[in-house]
Amino acid sequence: MFENMLFEVQSISDARGTIYIVEQGQQLPFDVKRCYFIKELSSQPRGFHAHKTLRQLAVLVQGSCDFIMDDGSTKNNITLNSPKQALLIDTFVWHEMHNFSEDCILMVLASDVYLEEDYIRNYDEFLITVKQG
Ligand code: T46
């Protein structure tokens, strides 16, 4: 379930610095309709939900953080600590973000606009939904 979730972000360095590239059809397996980023993070964890239809790619711009990815039967702890790493957050995966470094900046590319009704924010409801298939 969790294999193929980590993508390598292409990077090109020269004397001016490094450019990081996420491109449709390469690292991105969906069309992007929204981009948001999360920064100025405290020690409080975030996430604690799953999406019904939304697919997302989380790109670590700076710093580090841990993701707990849970498909209802298996939990995986994934540390992002390089801008060369991007994590696919697929549908019906309960995800939590923990242990943000002070400088952490997380950019997320999303397959749709923001719809609160797409979120499952209750863990018991999530387990019932995935068990029903
Ligand atoms: C996700 C993880 C990785 C909006 O109004 N529009 C938006 O596009 C987003 C992303 C959020 N919001 C509102 C909804 C809440 O009132 O901003 C507030 C904070 O959102 P939330 O508590 O969902 O934040 P996180 O960090 O727990 O989750 C976010 C995304 O919402 C979610 O889709 O998968 O990052």
Side-chain angles (χ1 to χ4, degrees):
M1 166 75 196
F2 291 119
E3 60 279 1
N4 307 324
M5 252 184 3
L6 273 172
F7 286 75
E8 190 178 339
V9 175
Q10 188 190 351
S11 66
I12 301 172
S13 297
D14 60 28
R16 300 166 297 170
T18 305
I19 189 162
Y20 295 90
I21 305 155
V22 176
E23 187 171 334
Q24 204 79 44
Q26 303 293 321
Q27 299 85 354
L28 255 178
F30 52 82
D31 292 343
V32 175
K33 286 200 183 155
R34 176 167 54 112
C35 174
Y36 59 90
F37 58 92
I38 305 172
K39 64 187 289 258
E40 291 140 21
L41 290 149
S42 74
S43 58
Q44 290 186 42
R46 302 185 68 109
F48 297 87
H49 59 255
H51 285 283
K52 297 173 193 165
T53 63
L54 191 73
R55 303 184 78 199
Q56 304 187 98
L57 189 76
V59 181
L60 186 84
V61 175
Q62 183 175 285
S64 62
C65 68
D66 293 335
F67 272 78
I68 294 175
M69 307 294 277
D70 175 356
D71 66 3
S73 49
T74 310
K75 284 187 195 192
N76 250 27
N77 197 333
I78 294 170
T79 298
L80 294 184
N81 55 19
S82 160
K84 290 189 178 182
Q85 293 173 309
L87 178 68
L88 181 69
I89 307 171
D90 224 326
T91 56
F92 294 104
V93 175
W94 184 266
H95 51 285
E96 302 172 10
M97 294 107 86
H98 295 264
N99 303 325
F100 299 107
S101 63
E102 266 181 34
D103 61 346
C104 182
I105 302 175
L106 192 67
M107 180 180 74
V108 184
L109 305 171
S111 65
D112 207 349
V113 297
Y114 172 74
L115 293 169
E116 183 56 38
E117 58 267 32
D118 192 69
Y119 288 70
I120 304 172
R121 292 192 186 269
N122 178 289
Y123 189 69
D124 292 335
E125 183 191 335
F126 165 71
L127 286 180
I128 290 166
T129 309
V130 290
K131 275 173 187 144
Q132 282 170 348

